[in-house]
Amino acid sequence: MTAVLNPATEEAIAEVPGATVEDADRAIEAARRAFPAWRTVAPPDRARLLRRLAGLVEEHGEELARLETRNVGKPIQDSRGEVAMVAEVFYFYAGAVDKHHGETIPVAAGVDLTFREPLGVVGLIVPWNFPIAIASWKLGPALACGNTVVLKPAELTPLTAIRLAELALDAGLPEGVLNVLPGSGSVVGQRLVEHPDVAKIGFTGSTEVGRSVMAGAAGTIKRVTLELGGKSANVVFADADLEAAAAAAPFAVFGNAGQDCCARSRILVERGAYDRFVQLLVQATTELRVGDPEDDATQMGPLISADQREKVSSYASGTVVFRGNTPADRGFWFPCTLVEARNEDRVAREEVFGPVAALIPFEDEDDAVRIANDTPYGLSGSIWTRDGARALRVARAVEAGVLSVNSNTSVRVSTPFGGFKQSGFGRELGMHALEGYSEVKNVYLATEG
Ligand code: TXE
């Protein structure tokens, strides 16, 4: 049994058994047995089941949001938004079931058809920062394509995934289609990666573990999609609406207490606007409400664990321009911190995964692109400017999978999400995600005697 903690109070809120290798094998076997029937469910019926699941998530929205907030320490308003997104994801993929078409291709002496076949049993391994949301991004397309799944939540945050599996049964998904297996990465995760009956791993987590997932999958030529770390740049040009950019920037890096793969944790500012922007940013950060995650007004909660706090604190050094306050009570609190840095510094190179932002000045457009790309990661980023042509030029030049102009939002249910470089590969969300959970089959029929 593992105690599950509330990061805001350090109190145990549940005890969850850690699955063994034998449990993993049993879950994979249950998914394998459920696959033939699930793949042949008529498309409108599969869509109906996913819609019912979406409806149950909506009905239980407040319950799921409270559970997520207590387990992750994230502000309740964020949890409500994420749970609403989970329902939207299942509605989207319910609608996608019969819109993921094959083709007919002109060929000589016959007819050529393609089919989108499900892969079989897929293993989904998710992290603790957006537990139910990231689980849904993988479950939606996996189930819509006709796969069965074994989902492994992160050790620290299994509660909403366990509840979601119950709701899936209530929605009428057959036994064995969606299996949730709480347990450790090195036991259950590793077994999913190596098991010959698992056709694919959909993974979100650290680049380091992603690397080992990729290596482990090689043994059985498993398909993998990897959504890994980030070190995204928020690029602010002097011609931007500085007030708007500064007002938005704290949420882009301190949202979810910085535990976000899309965190714009490098804030690049054109030198001519640097002093003014920093002044505005400090003001905006001061106003961020840090405190009890269950309070509707809270905008930032604690970190996930004592270990994470220790890791994050190792980055909060150098020239600190601002350090915020935190509650004095128990809980894994860490203050919003702004540091001036060079792009070579550790705080600007490594994923902090906490509320620490590096402020870096740049000289001109070329310099901004050079610094933005001088990182092994390539997940996300923002460009703030009033010059539309420049916005597009820079967006094309930045090596990242998800960019926004005059905004810091990265994630929408209907649009592709994923990284370049060591931020991983494969795309989640939108119709693009279906590619990662199906295989193209080509069939040629001779029509001439
Ligand atoms: O991630 P892990 P952790 C980054 C972030 C954070 C750091 C560590 O920088 O500080 O990673 O977090 C499972 N085989 N991100 O330790 O270990 C594990 O059980 C198979 C970025 O939580 O990568 C969990 O379910 N699976 C990130 C999942 O992998 C294994 C989100 C992620 O855990 C495994 C989270 C193994 N050998 C952390 N070892 C993002 N970019 O969103 C572990 N796991």
Side-chain angles (χ1 to χ4, degrees), residues 165-178:
E166 293 168 356
L167 293 177
L169 287 177
D170 293 348
L173 268 80
E175 290 267 355
V177 169
L178 195 178

PDB file of all heavy atoms in Angstrom, residues 165-178:
ATOM      1  N   ALA A 165     -11.857   5.059 -14.409  1.00  0.00           N
ATOM      2  CA  ALA A 165     -12.091   3.667 -14.841  1.00  0.00           C
ATOM      3  C   ALA A 165     -13.466   3.193 -14.360  1.00  0.00           C
ATOM      4  O   ALA A 165     -14.172   2.477 -15.086  1.00  0.00           O
ATOM      5  CB  ALA A 165     -10.986   2.768 -14.294  1.00  0.00           C
ATOM      6  N   GLU A 166     -13.872   3.617 -13.159  1.00  0.00           N
ATOM      7  CA  GLU A 166     -15.215   3.240 -12.664  1.00  0.00           C
ATOM      8  C   GLU A 166     -16.293   3.885 -13.533  1.00  0.00           C
ATOM      9  O   GLU A 166     -17.276   3.248 -13.903  1.00  0.00           O
ATOM     10  CB  GLU A 166     -15.386   3.700 -11.213  1.00  0.00           C
ATOM     11  CG  GLU A 166     -14.477   2.973 -10.235  1.00  0.00           C
ATOM     12  CD  GLU A 166     -14.427   3.635  -8.843  1.00  0.00           C
ATOM     13  OE1 GLU A 166     -15.046   4.713  -8.632  1.00  0.00           O
ATOM     14  OE2 GLU A 166     -13.749   3.072  -7.972  1.00  0.00           O
ATOM     15  N   LEU A 167     -16.077   5.151 -13.875  1.00  0.00           N
ATOM     16  CA  LEU A 167     -17.075   5.838 -14.711  1.00  0.00           C
ATOM     17  C   LEU A 167     -17.171   5.198 -16.095  1.00  0.00           C
ATOM     18  O   LEU A 167     -18.241   5.145 -16.693  1.00  0.00           O
ATOM     19  CB  LEU A 167     -16.721   7.332 -14.836  1.00  0.00           C
ATOM     20  CG  LEU A 167     -16.820   8.149 -13.544  1.00  0.00           C
ATOM     21  CD1 LEU A 167     -16.382   9.598 -13.787  1.00  0.00           C
ATOM     22  CD2 LEU A 167     -18.249   8.127 -12.976  1.00  0.00           C
ATOM     23  N   ALA A 168     -16.042   4.694 -16.591  1.00  0.00           N
ATOM     24  CA  ALA A 168     -16.055   4.044 -17.912  1.00  0.00           C
ATOM     25  C   ALA A 168     -16.936   2.798 -17.870  1.00  0.00           C
ATOM     26  O   ALA A 168     -17.703   2.535 -18.808  1.00  0.00           O
ATOM     27  CB  ALA A 168     -14.634   3.698 -18.338  1.00  0.00           C
ATOM     28  N   LEU A 169     -16.847   2.045 -16.776  1.00  0.00           N
ATOM     29  CA  LEU A 169     -17.725   0.863 -16.646  1.00  0.00           C
ATOM     30  C   LEU A 169     -19.181   1.302 -16.536  1.00  0.00           C
ATOM     31  O   LEU A 169     -20.060   0.725 -17.179  1.00  0.00           O
ATOM     32  CB  LEU A 169     -17.325   0.033 -15.422  1.00  0.00           C
ATOM     33  CG  LEU A 169     -16.016  -0.764 -15.535  1.00  0.00           C
ATOM     34  CD1 LEU A 169     -15.716  -1.477 -14.224  1.00  0.00           C
ATOM     35  CD2 LEU A 169     -16.070  -1.775 -16.689  1.00  0.00           C
ATOM     36  N   ASP A 170     -19.411   2.358 -15.752  1.00  0.00           N
ATOM     37  CA  ASP A 170     -20.793   2.876 -15.624  1.00  0.00           C
ATOM     38  C   ASP A 170     -21.329   3.331 -16.985  1.00  0.00           C
ATOM     39  O   ASP A 170     -22.527   3.229 -17.252  1.00  0.00           O
ATOM     40  CB  ASP A 170     -20.845   4.070 -14.657  1.00  0.00           C
ATOM     41  CG  ASP A 170     -20.525   3.660 -13.222  1.00  0.00           C
ATOM     42  OD1 ASP A 170     -20.495   2.438 -12.955  1.00  0.00           O
ATOM     43  OD2 ASP A 170     -20.280   4.547 -12.389  1.00  0.00           O
ATOM     44  N   ALA A 171     -20.437   3.839 -17.820  1.00  0.00           N
ATOM     45  CA  ALA A 171     -20.868   4.320 -19.145  1.00  0.00           C
ATOM     46  C   ALA A 171     -21.196   3.156 -20.078  1.00  0.00           C
ATOM     47  O   ALA A 171     -21.782   3.357 -21.140  1.00  0.00           O
ATOM     48  CB  ALA A 171     -19.775   5.195 -19.765  1.00  0.00           C
ATOM     49  N   GLY A 172     -20.762   1.950 -19.691  1.00  0.00           N
ATOM     50  CA  GLY A 172     -21.064   0.779 -20.514  1.00  0.00           C
ATOM     51  C   GLY A 172     -19.883   0.263 -21.318  1.00  0.00           C
ATOM     52  O   GLY A 172     -20.042  -0.654 -22.129  1.00  0.00           O
ATOM     53  N   LEU A 173     -18.688   0.826 -21.118  1.00  0.00           N
ATOM     54  CA  LEU A 173     -17.535   0.247 -21.796  1.00  0.00           C
ATOM     55  C   LEU A 173     -17.349  -1.172 -21.266  1.00  0.00           C
ATOM     56  O   LEU A 173     -17.392  -1.382 -20.048  1.00  0.00           O
ATOM     57  CB  LEU A 173     -16.259   1.071 -21.531  1.00  0.00           C
ATOM     58  CG  LEU A 173     -15.964   2.159 -22.563  1.00  0.00           C
ATOM     59  CD1 LEU A 173     -16.814   3.386 -22.289  1.00  0.00           C
ATOM     60  CD2 LEU A 173     -14.492   2.526 -22.551  1.00  0.00           C
ATOM     61  N   PRO A 174     -17.151  -2.146 -22.149  1.00  0.00           N
ATOM     62  CA  PRO A 174     -17.036  -3.534 -21.666  1.00  0.00           C
ATOM     63  C   PRO A 174     -15.831  -3.716 -20.748  1.00  0.00           C
ATOM     64  O   PRO A 174     -14.822  -3.020 -20.892  1.00  0.00           O
ATOM     65  CB  PRO A 174     -16.837  -4.326 -22.971  1.00  0.00           C
ATOM     66  CG  PRO A 174     -17.334  -3.440 -24.062  1.00  0.00           C
ATOM     67  CD  PRO A 174     -17.103  -2.031 -23.608  1.00  0.00           C
ATOM     68  N   GLU A 175     -15.934  -4.674 -19.835  1.00  0.00           N
ATOM     69  CA  GLU A 175     -14.823  -5.042 -18.943  1.00  0.00           C
ATOM     70  C   GLU A 175     -13.575  -5.303 -19.786  1.00  0.00           C
ATOM     71  O   GLU A 175     -13.668  -5.912 -20.844  1.00  0.00           O
ATOM     72  CB  GLU A 175     -15.148  -6.371 -18.238  1.00  0.00           C
ATOM     73  CG  GLU A 175     -16.243  -6.305 -17.207  1.00  0.00           C
ATOM     74  CD  GLU A 175     -15.686  -6.058 -15.799  1.00  0.00           C
ATOM     75  OE1 GLU A 175     -14.451  -6.035 -15.659  1.00  0.00           O
ATOM     76  OE2 GLU A 175     -16.507  -5.862 -14.890  1.00  0.00           O
ATOM     77  N   GLY A 176     -12.445  -4.831 -19.306  1.00  0.00           N
ATOM     78  CA  GLY A 176     -11.179  -5.137 -19.993  1.00  0.00           C
ATOM     79  C   GLY A 176     -10.779  -4.120 -21.034  1.00  0.00           C
ATOM     80  O   GLY A 176      -9.651  -4.130 -21.507  1.00  0.00           O
ATOM     81  N   VAL A 177     -11.701  -3.224 -21.416  1.00  0.00           N
ATOM     82  CA  VAL A 177     -11.364  -2.242 -22.460  1.00  0.00           C
ATOM     83  C   VAL A 177     -10.475  -1.139 -21.899  1.00  0.00           C
ATOM     84  O   VAL A 177      -9.503  -0.724 -22.525  1.00  0.00           O
ATOM     85  CB  VAL A 177     -12.656  -1.669 -23.101  1.00  0.00           C
ATOM     86  CG1 VAL A 177     -12.340  -0.462 -23.995  1.00  0.00           C
ATOM     87  CG2 VAL A 177     -13.350  -2.757 -23.909  1.00  0.00           C
ATOM     88  N   LEU A 178     -10.814  -0.666 -20.693  1.00  0.00           N
ATOM     89  CA  LEU A 178     -10.010   0.396 -20.061  1.00  0.00           C
ATOM     90  C   LEU A 178      -9.574  -0.107 -18.681  1.00  0.00           C
ATOM     91  O   LEU A 178     -10.389  -0.184 -17.763  1.00  0.00           O
ATOM     92  CB  LEU A 178     -10.856   1.671 -19.926  1.00  0.00           C
ATOM     93  CG  LEU A 178     -10.169   2.995 -19.639  1.00  0.00           C
ATOM     94  CD1 LEU A 178     -11.188   4.114 -19.599  1.00  0.00           C
ATOM     95  CD2 LEU A 178      -9.342   3.034 -18.374  1.00  0.00           C
TER      96      LEU A 178
END
